[in-house]
Each structure stands twice: as structure tokens, then as C-alpha cells.
Amino acid sequence: MSDVVYMVRARTEAACKRELARICERMDAEVATDPTDAAGRHWVARAVPRKAEAPAEDGRGPTLSA
């Protein structure tokens, strides 16, 4: 699991969903926790980066398929 987690906190469920979708789109992330108000006064949700592709054989980073 990645050490990176994006968290959204909003006053309404709708706002939380909207911002979560925005983070996922812009940060190439996926939803880890759907919006919930179980933790207190506000709605919270989390996203994590999508799984990275395997590094190139030379170890310089992910390989890109054509």
C-alpha cells in the first residue's frame, strides 16, 4: 500500500463526493473510502494513487505501452 493518501473533508455529502471525484481525476487516484459522516461533524472520504506500472528494465521508472 502507498504511503500517500488524499483526504477530503466537506460539510455536505454532495460536496465531499464532488471533491473526491476531482482529486481522483486530477491526481490519477482511486477511491479508498466512500464519503461518510461517521467520524464527526463533517463528511470525509479518502483516495489513494492508482497502482504504478512496473519499472522499466533499466529501473528508470514505469514503462509506457504504445
Side-chain angles (χ1 to χ4, degrees), residues 38-52:
R41 297 181 349 202
H42 297 286
W43 287 83
V44 296
R46 291 178 178 82
V48 295
R50 294 186 193 278
K51 291 184 180 180

PDB file of all heavy atoms in Angstrom, residues 38-52:
ATOM      1  N   ALA A  38     -19.551   9.330   9.723  1.00  0.00           N
ATOM      2  CA  ALA A  38     -19.439   8.569  10.967  1.00  0.00           C
ATOM      3  C   ALA A  38     -18.365   9.111  11.912  1.00  0.00           C
ATOM      4  O   ALA A  38     -18.409   8.837  13.108  1.00  0.00           O
ATOM      5  CB  ALA A  38     -19.148   7.105  10.656  1.00  0.00           C
ATOM      6  N   ALA A  39     -17.433   9.876  11.398  1.00  0.00           N
ATOM      7  CA  ALA A  39     -16.317  10.346  12.213  1.00  0.00           C
ATOM      8  C   ALA A  39     -16.591  11.645  12.962  1.00  0.00           C
ATOM      9  O   ALA A  39     -15.758  12.094  13.737  1.00  0.00           O
ATOM     10  CB  ALA A  39     -15.078  10.514  11.340  1.00  0.00           C
ATOM     11  N   GLY A  40     -17.718  12.268  12.746  1.00  0.00           N
ATOM     12  CA  GLY A  40     -17.971  13.522  13.447  1.00  0.00           C
ATOM     13  C   GLY A  40     -18.893  14.440  12.692  1.00  0.00           C
ATOM     14  O   GLY A  40     -19.817  13.999  12.032  1.00  0.00           O
ATOM     15  N   ARG A  41     -18.598  15.724  12.761  1.00  0.00           N
ATOM     16  CA  ARG A  41     -19.489  16.749  12.214  1.00  0.00           C
ATOM     17  C   ARG A  41     -19.472  16.879  10.698  1.00  0.00           C
ATOM     18  O   ARG A  41     -20.404  17.391  10.117  1.00  0.00           O
ATOM     19  CB  ARG A  41     -19.127  18.104  12.810  1.00  0.00           C
ATOM     20  CG  ARG A  41     -19.319  18.181  14.286  1.00  0.00           C
ATOM     21  CD  ARG A  41     -18.996  19.527  14.869  1.00  0.00           C
ATOM     22  NE  ARG A  41     -18.321  20.432  13.962  1.00  0.00           N
ATOM     23  CZ  ARG A  41     -17.604  21.447  14.345  1.00  0.00           C
ATOM     24  NH1 ARG A  41     -17.439  21.701  15.612  1.00  0.00           N
ATOM     25  NH2 ARG A  41     -17.039  22.236  13.467  1.00  0.00           N
ATOM     26  N   HIS A  42     -18.408  16.486  10.056  1.00  0.00           N
ATOM     27  CA  HIS A  42     -18.278  16.690   8.610  1.00  0.00           C
ATOM     28  C   HIS A  42     -18.206  15.356   7.872  1.00  0.00           C
ATOM     29  O   HIS A  42     -18.033  14.308   8.464  1.00  0.00           O
ATOM     30  CB  HIS A  42     -17.023  17.507   8.289  1.00  0.00           C
ATOM     31  CG  HIS A  42     -17.059  18.880   8.869  1.00  0.00           C
ATOM     32  ND1 HIS A  42     -17.841  19.892   8.362  1.00  0.00           N
ATOM     33  CD2 HIS A  42     -16.413  19.412   9.921  1.00  0.00           C
ATOM     34  CE1 HIS A  42     -17.674  20.986   9.067  1.00  0.00           C
ATOM     35  NE2 HIS A  42     -16.813  20.722  10.029  1.00  0.00           N
ATOM     36  N   TRP A  43     -18.321  15.432   6.559  1.00  0.00           N
ATOM     37  CA  TRP A  43     -18.180  14.266   5.688  1.00  0.00           C
ATOM     38  C   TRP A  43     -16.716  14.135   5.299  1.00  0.00           C
ATOM     39  O   TRP A  43     -16.053  15.119   4.996  1.00  0.00           O
ATOM     40  CB  TRP A  43     -19.035  14.448   4.443  1.00  0.00           C
ATOM     41  CG  TRP A  43     -20.493  14.300   4.735  1.00  0.00           C
ATOM     42  CD1 TRP A  43     -21.329  15.260   5.215  1.00  0.00           C
ATOM     43  CD2 TRP A  43     -21.273  13.120   4.601  1.00  0.00           C
ATOM     44  NE1 TRP A  43     -22.589  14.743   5.385  1.00  0.00           N
ATOM     45  CE2 TRP A  43     -22.589  13.423   5.002  1.00  0.00           C
ATOM     46  CE3 TRP A  43     -21.002  11.825   4.167  1.00  0.00           C
ATOM     47  CZ2 TRP A  43     -23.610  12.490   4.996  1.00  0.00           C
ATOM     48  CZ3 TRP A  43     -22.019  10.902   4.148  1.00  0.00           C
ATOM     49  CH2 TRP A  43     -23.313  11.233   4.565  1.00  0.00           C
ATOM     50  N   VAL A  44     -16.195  12.915   5.329  1.00  0.00           N
ATOM     51  CA  VAL A  44     -14.806  12.664   4.939  1.00  0.00           C
ATOM     52  C   VAL A  44     -14.762  11.500   3.955  1.00  0.00           C
ATOM     53  O   VAL A  44     -15.613  10.605   3.987  1.00  0.00           O
ATOM     54  CB  VAL A  44     -13.881  12.366   6.140  1.00  0.00           C
ATOM     55  CG1 VAL A  44     -13.776  13.565   7.057  1.00  0.00           C
ATOM     56  CG2 VAL A  44     -14.355  11.149   6.905  1.00  0.00           C
ATOM     57  N   ALA A  45     -13.760  11.528   3.095  1.00  0.00           N
ATOM     58  CA  ALA A  45     -13.511  10.452   2.141  1.00  0.00           C
ATOM     59  C   ALA A  45     -12.022  10.447   1.834  1.00  0.00           C
ATOM     60  O   ALA A  45     -11.334  11.455   2.038  1.00  0.00           O
ATOM     61  CB  ALA A  45     -14.323  10.661   0.869  1.00  0.00           C
ATOM     62  N   ARG A  46     -11.550   9.312   1.344  1.00  0.00           N
ATOM     63  CA  ARG A  46     -10.126   9.197   1.038  1.00  0.00           C
ATOM     64  C   ARG A  46      -9.917   8.563  -0.326  1.00  0.00           C
ATOM     65  O   ARG A  46     -10.713   7.760  -0.785  1.00  0.00           O
ATOM     66  CB  ARG A  46      -9.431   8.368   2.108  1.00  0.00           C
ATOM     67  CG  ARG A  46      -9.375   9.078   3.438  1.00  0.00           C
ATOM     68  CD  ARG A  46      -8.728   8.221   4.506  1.00  0.00           C
ATOM     69  NE  ARG A  46      -8.651   8.947   5.756  1.00  0.00           N
ATOM     70  CZ  ARG A  46      -9.648   9.055   6.620  1.00  0.00           C
ATOM     71  NH1 ARG A  46     -10.802   8.480   6.379  1.00  0.00           N
ATOM     72  NH2 ARG A  46      -9.497   9.739   7.734  1.00  0.00           N
ATOM     73  N   ALA A  47      -8.774   8.921  -0.917  1.00  0.00           N
ATOM     74  CA  ALA A  47      -8.353   8.340  -2.190  1.00  0.00           C
ATOM     75  C   ALA A  47      -6.867   8.022  -2.097  1.00  0.00           C
ATOM     76  O   ALA A  47      -6.146   8.621  -1.297  1.00  0.00           O
ATOM     77  CB  ALA A  47      -8.605   9.314  -3.335  1.00  0.00           C
ATOM     78  N   VAL A  48      -6.430   7.076  -2.898  1.00  0.00           N
ATOM     79  CA  VAL A  48      -5.017   6.703  -2.958  1.00  0.00           C
ATOM     80  C   VAL A  48      -4.575   6.689  -4.415  1.00  0.00           C
ATOM     81  O   VAL A  48      -5.399   6.494  -5.312  1.00  0.00           O
ATOM     82  CB  VAL A  48      -4.759   5.323  -2.315  1.00  0.00           C
ATOM     83  CG1 VAL A  48      -5.043   5.359  -0.824  1.00  0.00           C
ATOM     84  CG2 VAL A  48      -5.570   4.239  -2.981  1.00  0.00           C
ATOM     85  N   PRO A  49      -3.279   6.872  -4.660  1.00  0.00           N
ATOM     86  CA  PRO A  49      -2.795   6.813  -6.041  1.00  0.00           C
ATOM     87  C   PRO A  49      -3.089   5.440  -6.645  1.00  0.00           C
ATOM     88  O   PRO A  49      -3.064   4.418  -5.944  1.00  0.00           O
ATOM     89  CB  PRO A  49      -1.289   7.028  -5.910  1.00  0.00           C
ATOM     90  CG  PRO A  49      -1.111   7.696  -4.588  1.00  0.00           C
ATOM     91  CD  PRO A  49      -2.212   7.175  -3.723  1.00  0.00           C
ATOM     92  N   ARG A  50      -3.375   5.431  -7.945  1.00  0.00           N
ATOM     93  CA  ARG A  50      -3.553   4.143  -8.634  1.00  0.00           C
ATOM     94  C   ARG A  50      -2.231   3.390  -8.602  1.00  0.00           C
ATOM     95  O   ARG A  50      -1.172   3.995  -8.487  1.00  0.00           O
ATOM     96  CB  ARG A  50      -3.961   4.372 -10.085  1.00  0.00           C
ATOM     97  CG  ARG A  50      -5.324   4.992 -10.201  1.00  0.00           C
ATOM     98  CD  ARG A  50      -5.740   5.057 -11.670  1.00  0.00           C
ATOM     99  NE  ARG A  50      -6.883   5.917 -11.823  1.00  0.00           N
ATOM    100  CZ  ARG A  50      -8.144   5.535 -11.604  1.00  0.00           C
ATOM    101  NH1 ARG A  50      -8.392   4.308 -11.225  1.00  0.00           N
ATOM    102  NH2 ARG A  50      -9.139   6.381 -11.750  1.00  0.00           N
ATOM    103  N   LYS A  51      -2.291   2.091  -8.725  1.00  0.00           N
ATOM    104  CA  LYS A  51      -1.067   1.285  -8.726  1.00  0.00           C
ATOM    105  C   LYS A  51      -0.191   1.696  -9.897  1.00  0.00           C
ATOM    106  O   LYS A  51      -0.663   1.820 -11.018  1.00  0.00           O
ATOM    107  CB  LYS A  51      -1.404  -0.192  -8.825  1.00  0.00           C
ATOM    108  CG  LYS A  51      -2.063  -0.726  -7.585  1.00  0.00           C
ATOM    109  CD  LYS A  51      -2.288  -2.202  -7.696  1.00  0.00           C
ATOM    110  CE  LYS A  51      -2.960  -2.702  -6.422  1.00  0.00           C
ATOM    111  NZ  LYS A  51      -3.203  -4.141  -6.473  1.00  0.00           N
ATOM    112  N   ALA A  52       1.074   1.898  -9.623  1.00  0.00           N
ATOM    113  CA  ALA A  52       2.032   2.288 -10.662  1.00  0.00           C
ATOM    114  C   ALA A  52       2.371   1.083 -11.521  1.00  0.00           C
ATOM    115  O   ALA A  52       2.302  -0.064 -11.066  1.00  0.00           O
ATOM    116  CB  ALA A  52       3.298   2.843 -10.023  1.00  0.00           C
TER     117      ALA A  52
END
